[in-house]
């Protein structure tokens, strides 16, 4: 059985972690989308292109843009 103080500390830590994770997702979204149109911006294009280029190199497939 855990003490009530430890239980509260665990619950607070989990809530803080969930809040921090949501804030990080929000910041990432703000950094990779245009606020006016909601479309992906250049930063998102660069990240996606890099990931797809690596996938194509591993699989030997081609990439078209």
């Amino acid at each position: 059985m855990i003490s009530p103080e430890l239980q509260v500390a665990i619950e607070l830590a989990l809530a803080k972690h969930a809040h921090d994770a949501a804030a990080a997702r929000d910041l990432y979204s703000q950094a990779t989308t245009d606020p006016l149109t909601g479309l992906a911006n250049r930063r998102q294009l660069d990240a996606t292109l890099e990931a797809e280029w690596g996938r194509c190199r591993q699989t030997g497939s081609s990439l078209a843009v």
Side-chain angles (χ1 to χ4, degrees):
M1 183 83 182
I2 9 183
S3 69
E5 294 87 8
L6 181 57
Q7 183 68 31
V8 169
I10 291 171
E11 289 173 5
L12 287 173
L14 289 174
K16 182 180 181 325
H17 176 72
H19 179 268
D20 291 348
R25 283 191 304 273
D26 186 46
L27 285 175
Y28 179 80
S29 176
Q30 289 178 16
T32 58
T33 55
D34 179 83
L36 182 61
T37 63
L39 299 173
N41 64 14
R42 175 64 187 262
R43 182 176 286 136
Q44 181 65 36
L45 172 67
D46 290 342
T48 302
L49 188 57
E50 183 178 337
E52 290 302 314
W53 181 256
R55 186 182 60 82
C56 289
R57 289 184 65 200
Q58 287 179 346
T59 62
S61 59
S62 58
L63 177 67
V65 179

